[in-house]
PDB file of all heavy atoms in Angstrom:
ATOM      1  N   ALA A  72      31.260 -22.605  27.412  1.00  0.00           N
ATOM      2  CA  ALA A  72      30.126 -21.745  27.086  1.00  0.00           C
ATOM      3  C   ALA A  72      29.276 -22.320  25.991  1.00  0.00           C
ATOM      4  O   ALA A  72      29.774 -22.937  25.039  1.00  0.00           O
ATOM      5  CB  ALA A  72      30.665 -20.351  26.692  1.00  0.00           C
ATOM      6  N   VAL A  76      20.222 -17.672  23.009  1.00  0.00           N
ATOM      7  CA  VAL A  76      19.751 -16.525  22.278  1.00  0.00           C
ATOM      8  C   VAL A  76      19.174 -15.471  23.218  1.00  0.00           C
ATOM      9  O   VAL A  76      19.179 -14.285  22.923  1.00  0.00           O
ATOM     10  CB  VAL A  76      18.641 -16.991  21.265  1.00  0.00           C
ATOM     11  CG1 VAL A  76      17.433 -17.464  21.930  1.00  0.00           C
ATOM     12  CG2 VAL A  76      18.314 -15.810  20.278  1.00  0.00           C
ATOM     13  N   ALA A  82      21.039 -10.255  19.010  1.00  0.00           N
ATOM     14  CA  ALA A  82      19.894 -10.985  18.572  1.00  0.00           C
ATOM     15  C   ALA A  82      18.611 -10.377  19.142  1.00  0.00           C
ATOM     16  O   ALA A  82      17.636 -10.302  18.469  1.00  0.00           O
ATOM     17  CB  ALA A  82      19.973 -12.493  18.878  1.00  0.00           C
ATOM     18  N   ALA A  99      -0.354   0.889  10.197  1.00  0.00           N
ATOM     19  CA  ALA A  99      -0.538   1.521   8.912  1.00  0.00           C
ATOM     20  C   ALA A  99      -1.708   0.918   8.177  1.00  0.00           C
ATOM     21  O   ALA A  99      -2.511   1.681   7.499  1.00  0.00           O
ATOM     22  CB  ALA A  99       0.743   1.441   8.049  1.00  0.00           C
ATOM     23  N   PRO A 104      -7.561   4.304   5.146  1.00  0.00           N
ATOM     24  CA  PRO A 104      -9.034   4.360   4.919  1.00  0.00           C
ATOM     25  C   PRO A 104      -9.562   3.240   4.020  1.00  0.00           C
ATOM     26  O   PRO A 104      -8.890   2.849   3.083  1.00  0.00           O
ATOM     27  CB  PRO A 104      -9.225   5.744   4.301  1.00  0.00           C
ATOM     28  CG  PRO A 104      -7.868   6.017   3.678  1.00  0.00           C
ATOM     29  CD  PRO A 104      -6.869   5.412   4.535  1.00  0.00           C
ATOM     30  N   PRO A 109     -18.705   1.379  -4.217  1.00  0.00           N
ATOM     31  CA  PRO A 109     -19.747   2.104  -4.958  1.00  0.00           C
ATOM     32  C   PRO A 109     -21.086   1.440  -4.866  1.00  0.00           C
ATOM     33  O   PRO A 109     -21.175   0.207  -4.923  1.00  0.00           O
ATOM     34  CB  PRO A 109     -19.223   2.139  -6.414  1.00  0.00           C
ATOM     35  CG  PRO A 109     -18.309   0.993  -6.490  1.00  0.00           C
ATOM     36  CD  PRO A 109     -17.703   0.803  -5.143  1.00  0.00           C
ATOM     37  N   GLU A 126     -55.020 -18.974 -27.876  1.00  0.00           N
ATOM     38  CA  GLU A 126     -55.694 -17.897 -28.585  1.00  0.00           C
ATOM     39  C   GLU A 126     -55.105 -16.576 -28.208  1.00  0.00           C
ATOM     40  O   GLU A 126     -55.003 -15.645 -29.057  1.00  0.00           O
ATOM     41  CB  GLU A 126     -57.210 -17.936 -28.208  1.00  0.00           C
ATOM     42  CG  GLU A 126     -58.030 -16.831 -28.919  1.00  0.00           C
ATOM     43  CD  GLU A 126     -58.020 -16.987 -30.410  1.00  0.00           C
ATOM     44  OE1 GLU A 126     -57.846 -18.184 -30.888  1.00  0.00           O
ATOM     45  OE2 GLU A 126     -58.175 -15.986 -31.143  1.00  0.00           O
ATOM     46  N   TRP A 140     -44.962  -3.937 -35.316  1.00  0.00           N
ATOM     47  CA  TRP A 140     -44.052  -4.117 -34.255  1.00  0.00           C
ATOM     48  C   TRP A 140     -43.861  -5.646 -33.986  1.00  0.00           C
ATOM     49  O   TRP A 140     -44.682  -6.440 -34.463  1.00  0.00           O
ATOM     50  CB  TRP A 140     -44.559  -3.492 -32.945  1.00  0.00           C
ATOM     51  CG  TRP A 140     -44.593  -2.006 -32.950  1.00  0.00           C
ATOM     52  CD1 TRP A 140     -45.735  -1.245 -32.890  1.00  0.00           C
ATOM     53  CD2 TRP A 140     -43.479  -1.132 -32.982  1.00  0.00           C
ATOM     54  NE1 TRP A 140     -45.417   0.089 -32.910  1.00  0.00           N
ATOM     55  CE2 TRP A 140     -44.066   0.215 -32.901  1.00  0.00           C
ATOM     56  CE3 TRP A 140     -42.123  -1.234 -33.014  1.00  0.00           C
ATOM     57  CZ2 TRP A 140     -43.227   1.398 -32.981  1.00  0.00           C
ATOM     58  CZ3 TRP A 140     -41.318  -0.114 -33.084  1.00  0.00           C
ATOM     59  CH2 TRP A 140     -41.885   1.194 -33.064  1.00  0.00           C
ATOM     60  N   ALA A 171     -45.826   1.197 -36.138  1.00  0.00           N
ATOM     61  CA  ALA A 171     -44.409   1.510 -36.300  1.00  0.00           C
ATOM     62  C   ALA A 171     -44.174   2.491 -37.426  1.00  0.00           C
ATOM     63  O   ALA A 171     -44.784   2.395 -38.485  1.00  0.00           O
ATOM     64  CB  ALA A 171     -43.598   0.214 -36.554  1.00  0.00           C
ATOM     65  N   PRO A 173     -42.452   4.264 -40.683  1.00  0.00           N
ATOM     66  CA  PRO A 173     -41.829   3.625 -41.850  1.00  0.00           C
ATOM     67  C   PRO A 173     -40.342   3.417 -41.622  1.00  0.00           C
ATOM     68  O   PRO A 173     -39.588   4.251 -41.184  1.00  0.00           O
ATOM     69  CB  PRO A 173     -42.108   4.615 -42.992  1.00  0.00           C
ATOM     70  CG  PRO A 173     -43.314   5.420 -42.557  1.00  0.00           C
ATOM     71  CD  PRO A 173     -43.166   5.486 -41.044  1.00  0.00           C
TER      72      PRO A 173
END
Side-chain angles (χ1 to χ4, degrees):
V76 68
E126 182 62 28
W140 293 113

